[in-house]
Amino acid sequence: MLELRHIHQRYANLPLLQDINLQVAAGDIVALLGPSGSGKSTLLNIVAGLQAADAGSVWWDGQDITHLAPERRRFALMFQDFALFPHLNVLDNVAFGLVEQKVPKSEARNRALQMLGVFGLTELARRRVWNLSGGEQQRVALARALITEPRVLLLDEPFSALDADLRVALRQEFRSRIQAAGMVTLLVTHDEAEAREMADRSVRLLAGRLQPVD
Amino acid sequence: MTLIMRLTASRGLLLALLPAAALLLLLLAPVARLAWEGLDGGLGSTAGLSVWQPWLDNYLRWRVVWSLAQAAITCALALGLGLPLAWVLARFEFAGRALVLRLLMLPFVVPSLVAALGVLALWGPRGVISGALGINLQDTPWLLLYGNLFFNLCLVVRAGVDALAQVNARQVAAARSLGASPWRAFWRVEWPAIAPWLMSSLCLVFLYCFAGFGLALVLGGQRYATVEVEIYTLVAYELQLGQASVLALWMLLLTGAVALAYAALEKRLAAPLRSLPMPRVRPQGAPQWLALGLALAVLFGICALPIVAIFIKAISALGTGATGLFGAEMLAALWNTLRFSALALLMATLLGVLHAFAAQASVAWRAAAFLPFVVSPVTVAFGLLLLYPSWTASLPLLLLAYAVLAYPFVAKALSAGLDSLPVHLGRAARTLGASPWRCFWRVTLPLLRPALRRGMAFAAATALGEFAVTLFLSRPEWATLTTLIYQRLGRPGQANLDAAMVLACVLMALALAVFLLIDWPAPPLGPTHDPRRASGLSSPNRTAPYA
């Protein structure tokens, strides 16, 4: 279980996050709603370990991991712009995390190829990432995030870079893949329809505080 | 904040130690020593030198005024020719356009002495053109102005092309729909957008021409040599160190003032917003084709013809058997050029990398990389001569001076590369399990490689063609290709001129090899990371090599 306890964060001397408390159990998808600038992405960065909170702690299965380096948390973060590595092809992008786990390169590539097969992207394996469509880039980013079997999947506006039709079409696909992987998932979005369709429950970040959404 | 690990001020300071020591000991301290000599009224002076002497003495005043005038005339010519050329290259689509843009980089890697010989090969005594036309341009200002344009026209054209590419097509369309003719739309919308970039490049042109040495030494002759040449003459031949230091002090003040103007312009040039660029069109009708043809002809005539002329002269010299070309003297010079450049490049790369990473934590430190561009090589060499008189014939000092003059290219290219790295890539790597070091090794370094390679190539070109510092600090047995060319030029007779042409051809071939290294097609890194942009050398607000 992922737990956030009393997270506080200030930005430009103004309170951005105030006493944030949240629990997400394994297999749950929680949507974090809120307008632009409300601190959603900051909270995600704090959970990922990319940013230290001014106060509060992050817990995993009863252990305080607040000061654990991001690479040791096994929390995969998928960015709004997908953050695919432009110097690597699709296959090596997906294999990146496995190589960091000391999996031999050839085996990492084989497993990445299998993962691409699951996502229907096998024929794109050798392509450069900027030659892909938005939907393909998004699938590659999700495959890259899931291949290391992370404990937590953090999604930062994963559909915002896509056009409206594709966004709707991919939501269901995403949900089923994430559910199949069965991990804690925190989805940041400003789109209520997206939150309803993707998540088991939603919370809203407003004026720095978390509020449940009915 | 960039992809690299967050640099704290203390880490930045630690990284900056070595480049800071190099700048202090090899640039600032010599300059301070020289300034002190200038203000103090002069080493070995018997005439009670005044700091105002360059303005009181007719001969010296002419040198200063001419130095300023030739730089100003070059700026005017470069703008007058460069703007239409840039417009044609930015707006017309034609076969070979990418190649032309790439070739615009060529003069940046040509050593100034080679350029000077190129101009002589064209317009000098028995030059390819002057010989055919039966004219003699020796002892006129045209040779120097032509040489200045050879280097600087490309700089202005590149700045113009890049600036025009940032003009927002929607704004121009809005102006046209509001009743502006194409000409009025250019003056009222395009010109205000590109003018700051062009002015910034003109500051550099002025700086390079005003503080240039090699071209003025060879092409200026007795009457049209510049202050830098006068300083060298006073130090090397007349031992008038006091007068030389007063002149050098004025050079410092004047170049410093231009550099400040450049810095002020740079500050005003904010990063462009993402805009819809003007589409390029194929030329329509005879006038547009004529404009394109004319533009390419002017570019070829000014920026390529001197290089072609060197090859023609060298080949004909080889045909007549130019004397002693492949003897021990030339081989030793070639060997010295290669090993000095390689060692200087190693040191420059180390200094440049440290400087660039330290600059991520400090804006002021980033600006410090510009210092070696502001102080002319002659000033640096003269300052070193004054400050470290017992080390003037020391190879380490010579190589360190090379490195200090060359390392800003690495630092600036790498800084720009670091700036253009998307922050999310590093974060993604960290959440995928990469430690900060692994993140650097697997993501940052591969993405920085094009910028690093380009910076190193410019640094190598600077070291290969270095001339001023070598003249001041070198010993006869350390002669490089540039000093050997200069020696041959100083000896009478056609055979020596022929030999100089062949040597220049060899140096040019080395410079071309470096040029290919710069623009060798690298695997593209996609639209999110343009290596040309990341190098910081294609953008108009970046420093171009010293001409």
Side-chain angles (χ1 to χ4, degrees):
Chain A
M1 176 183 283
L2 173 72
E3 252 187 291
L4 308 185
R5 295 184 188 170
H6 309 295
I7 301 284
H8 288 263
Q9 181 71 30
R10 294 178 74 81
Y11 180 75
N13 265 337
L14 292 170
L16 182 66
L17 302 173
Q18 299 182 65
D19 196 28
I20 302 292
N21 291 284
L22 182 68
Q23 291 185 346
V24 192
D28 266 4
I29 303 178
V30 173
L32 182 58
L33 284 159
S36 295
S38 60
K40 305 185 300 287
S41 295
T42 303
L43 188 60
L44 223 52
N45 281 338
I46 290 170
V47 175
L50 293 166
Q51 187 174 343
D54 292 341
S57 53
V58 181
W59 294 70
W60 173 256
D61 278 352
Q63 278 194 320
D64 184 356
I65 57 164
T66 313
H67 301 293
L68 197 63
E71 66 270 20
R72 300 183 64 192
R73 294 188 183 200
R74 285 182 50 213
F75 289 6
L77 174 55
M78 193 176 141
F79 292 88
Q80 203 168 341
D81 62 0
F82 313 131
L84 297 176
F85 303 125
H87 59 298
L88 302 178
N89 61 22
V90 168
L91 185 68
D92 287 335
N93 259 281
V94 176
F96 188 96
L98 291 178
V99 174
E100 289 311 312
Q101 290 179 352
K102 308 278 188 288
V103 175
K105 223 170 194 171
S106 56
E107 191 192 327
R109 282 189 173 150
N110 281 335
R111 283 172 56 185
L113 209 52
Q114 284 170 16
M115 186 58 126
L116 286 175
V118 172
F119 278 76
L121 298 169
T122 312
E123 71 278 13
L124 303 180
R126 304 286 166 191
R127 290 263 290 272
R128 290 281 172 179
V129 289
W130 71 87
N131 285 329
L132 307 179
S133 68
E136 288 165 345
Q137 286 192 13
Q138 194 196 35
R139 287 195 186 98
V140 171
L142 185 63
R144 186 178 74 174
L146 293 181
I147 197 169
T148 54
E149 297 174 359
R151 302 188 290 199
V152 175
L153 180 63
L154 305 165
L155 304 169
D156 189 0
E157 305 265 12
F159 301 98
S160 66
L162 306 179
D163 59 51
D165 291 345
L166 192 59
R167 202 181 303 167
V168 172
L170 280 176
R171 277 181 199 154
Q172 273 311 317
E173 181 192 329
F174 248 59
R175 182 177 165 87
S176 55
R177 289 190 193 286
I178 292 166
Q179 272 181 330
M183 66 200 70
V184 165
T185 303
L186 203 52
L187 164 72
V188 160
T189 180
H190 62 272
D191 182 343
E192 301 219 6
E194 187 176 303
R196 272 197 303 276
E197 200 171 335
M198 291 280 300
D200 300 316
R201 67 185 164 101
S202 298
V203 287
R204 191 187 307 280
L205 192 56
L206 213 58
R209 295 184 184 276
L210 270 191
Q211 299 163 354
V213 176
D214 297 330
Chain B
M1 185 54 61
T2 66
L3 176 54
I4 58 160
M5 63 199 91
R6 280 161 194 269
L7 275 174
T8 59
S10 58
R11 263 186 190 161
L13 198 67
L14 206 65
L15 287 173
L17 268 180
L18 201 59
L23 281 181
L24 186 70
L25 296 174
L26 297 164
L27 195 85
L28 297 177
V31 164
R33 174 78 173 90
L34 208 153
W36 183 77
E37 283 303 336
L39 289 171
D40 194 45
L43 271 164
S45 112
T46 51
L49 274 177
S50 150
V51 80
W52 299 106
Q53 204 202 9
W55 302 104
L56 301 173
D57 180 291
N58 280 342
Y59 173 79
L60 291 181
R61 189 169 57 234
W62 161 249
R63 283 278 175 259
V64 179
V65 169
W66 167 244
S67 299
L68 291 166
Q70 55 93 29
I73 294 168
T74 306
C75 283
L77 290 172
L79 180 65
L81 286 171
L83 183 58
L85 293 182
W87 195 89
V88 166
L89 290 178
R91 296 289 179 254
F92 288 151
E93 187 61 67
F94 55 94
R97 178 180 176 275
L99 181 68
V100 171
L101 288 180
R102 189 175 284 186
L103 288 175
L104 284 178
M105 300 291 280
L106 194 60
F108 296 165
V109 293
V110 176
S112 57
L113 210 55
V114 173
L117 281 185
V119 175
L120 281 184
L122 269 184
W123 297 103
R126 276 181 276 176
V128 175
I129 294 179
S130 57
L133 298 179
I135 54 175
N136 181 15
L137 294 180
Q138 286 282 80
D139 298 319
T140 71
W142 300 112
L143 291 182
L144 179 57
L145 290 173
Y146 190 92
N148 282 345
L149 267 185
F150 167 81
F151 275 120
N152 295 296
L153 184 61
C154 289
L155 178 69
V156 175
V157 172
R158 277 193 75 92
V161 169
D162 286 346
L164 282 163
Q166 286 162 16
V167 171
N168 194 335
R170 291 195 185 99
Q171 291 174 359
V172 178
R176 295 297 305 279
S177 72
L178 290 167
S181 66
W183 181 245
R184 292 286 298 165
F186 175 80
W187 278 118
R188 297 193 63 195
V189 179
E190 293 188 66
W191 172 253
I194 64 174
W197 304 92
L198 286 171
M199 291 308 125
S200 163
S201 72
L202 287 180
C203 276
L204 286 179
V205 171
F206 190 92
L207 209 58
Y208 296 154
C209 295
F210 183 57
F213 176 66
L215 279 181
L217 182 69
V218 177
L219 301 178
Q222 290 287 325
R223 181 156 175 77
Y224 297 103
T226 57
V227 176
E228 293 290 286
V229 177
E230 187 63 32
I231 294 172
Y232 169 67
T233 311
L234 287 169
V235 174
Y237 297 108
E238 299 176 18
L239 294 176
Q240 298 265 14
L241 299 189
Q243 204 169 58
S245 55
V246 172
L247 274 179
L249 180 66
W250 277 102
M251 281 301 291
L252 263 180
L253 287 175
L254 292 168
T255 51
V258 181
L260 278 180
Y262 173 75
L265 273 171
E266 284 285 274
K267 215 172 167 183
R268 281 180 48 202
L269 297 178
L273 295 171
R274 189 179 288 268
S275 64
L276 182 72
M278 297 280 287
R280 285 194 297 275
V281 292
R282 276 184 70 77
Q284 308 277 324
Q288 291 193 354
W289 279 109
L290 189 68
L292 176 61
L294 207 60
L296 294 179
V298 170
L299 263 182
F300 180 80
I302 293 176
C303 301
L305 215 50
I307 297 172
V308 175
I310 288 184
F311 280 108
I312 293 173
K313 283 283 179 186
I315 289 167
S316 70
L318 283 175
T320 58
T323 52
L325 275 173
F326 300 101
E329 194 183 28
M330 179 188 153
L331 290 178
L334 182 61
W335 171 235
N336 283 339
T337 303
L338 289 174
R339 68 189 175 122
F340 293 174
S341 300
L343 285 169
L345 181 63
L346 269 180
M347 290 189 279
T349 305
L350 177 67
L351 291 172
V353 169
L354 290 174
H355 194 120
F357 277 94
Q360 294 296 302
S362 156
V363 179
W365 185 240
R366 175 177 293 232
F370 191 63
L371 276 174
F373 289 139
V374 178
V375 186
S376 74
V378 166
T379 308
V380 174
F382 185 25
L384 287 169
L385 205 66
L386 290 177
L387 188 65
Y388 310 114
S390 53
W391 292 349
T392 46
S394 123
L395 193 56
L397 186 71
L398 180 68
L399 296 182
L400 280 169
Y402 274 27
V404 165
L405 292 176
Y407 100 81
F409 292 106
V410 180
K412 286 185 78 70
L414 208 56
S415 286
L418 282 166
D419 290 346
S420 72
L421 288 180
V423 61
H424 283 168
L425 296 183
R427 290 182 167 177
R430 294 296 303 280
T431 60
L432 289 167
S435 65
W437 168 246
R438 291 282 300 171
C439 175
F440 174 77
W441 185 250
R442 292 195 66 198
V443 180
T444 311
L445 196 60
L447 290 175
L448 284 180
R449 203 169 289 145
L452 182 63
R453 197 180 56 177
R454 182 164 277 208
M456 285 176 69
F458 278 117
T462 304
L464 276 175
E466 213 304 310
F467 177 49
V469 170
T470 319
L471 269 189
F472 272 85
L473 300 177
S474 185
R475 280 161 51 165
E477 63 268 32
W478 298 337
T480 58
L481 283 176
T482 52
T483 48
L484 194 58
I485 291 170
Y486 185 60
Q487 281 172 24
R488 290 287 182 148
L489 274 179
R491 295 178 201 163
Q494 186 62 33
N496 280 311
L497 186 60
D498 286 349
M501 290 292 173
V502 177
L503 288 167
C505 207
V506 173
L507 191 56
M508 185 64 226
L510 279 177
L512 270 178
V514 166
F515 176 66
L516 287 177
L517 188 70
I518 296 170
D519 262 2
W520 194 260
L525 293 175
T528 55
H529 186 86
D530 175 3
R532 272 186 38 172
R533 236 184 151 59
S535 74
L537 292 161
S538 69
S539 148
N541 64 333
R542 304 292 179 195
T543 309
Y546 230 110

